[in-house]
Amino acid sequence: MKISSISFKEPPVSHEFPPLYEGLGLPEVSSFIQQRFEFAYTLGEVERIGHGSIRFYKRQGDFEVHISDKLPGVGPIKLRELKGLLLEEAKTAFIENIESEPEKRKVYYAEFRRTGKDAE
């Protein structure tokens, strides 16, 4: 398996969660920066296109690749290998995109707490 190309489709977006959720230590409710990309990969003799995103979890300092679609001919083991290759290829460019982005795009998540009157 080989990655032929990676191209970012939109600028990085910062996803901000309230401190209440940050304290839980769960990655799915931790603030992160995400950027979507399209990639071309070769599996055997066939070149195919896939879509994914790379995330940087601010608190943990971890990078993670998410692939949005099922890829034909790619099982769980090859998928893990592909994600590793994509992370190696995209990580440096992603960091550069974060640092060079003049206008930060942000998504805010709100607290979903009951008000004092409704809580019993």
Side-chain angles (χ1 to χ4, degrees):
M1 185 177 310
K2 187 175 138 187
I3 305 296
S4 306
S5 67
I6 293 180
S7 59
F8 291 100
K9 295 298 176 189
E10 58 186 44
V13 177
S14 180
H15 294 260
E16 303 291 331
F17 285 88
L20 170 71
Y21 299 117
E22 286 284 338
L24 297 175
L26 301 170
E28 50 282 350
V29 289
S30 296
S31 296
F32 61 90
I33 300 171
Q34 176 176 319
Q35 189 169 18
R36 296 181 192 277
F37 61 85
E38 182 178 276
F39 61 97
Y41 67 100
T42 306
L43 187 61
E45 303 233 349
V46 179
E47 184 171 283
R48 298 189 172 141
I49 305 264
H51 301 278
S53 62
I54 184 168
R55 287 183 181 180
F56 171 65
Y57 290 97
K58 296 175 183 179
R59 184 171 222 160
Q60 294 90 353
D62 294 334
F63 289 88
E64 198 173 285
V65 170
H66 294 270
I67 297 179
S68 52
D69 305 328
K70 289 196 175 225
L71 304 173
V74 178
I77 294 173
K78 285 186 181 177
L79 183 62
R80 188 175 10 183
E81 180 184 327
L82 179 62
K83 284 181 177 182
L85 291 172
L86 287 169
L87 186 59
E88 284 178 26
E89 291 281 327
K91 187 175 180 178
T92 305
F94 177 55
I95 293 169
E96 290 172 4
N97 289 343
I98 293 171
E99 292 171 352
S100 69
E101 186 64 30
E103 185 179 316
K104 305 289 186 210
R105 294 175 52 192
K106 292 188 177 188
V107 175
Y108 292 97
Y109 297 86
E111 290 184 30
F112 299 104
R113 225 186 266 191
R114 289 182 167 192
T115 60
K117 180 178 143 185
D118 294 336
E120 293 183 59

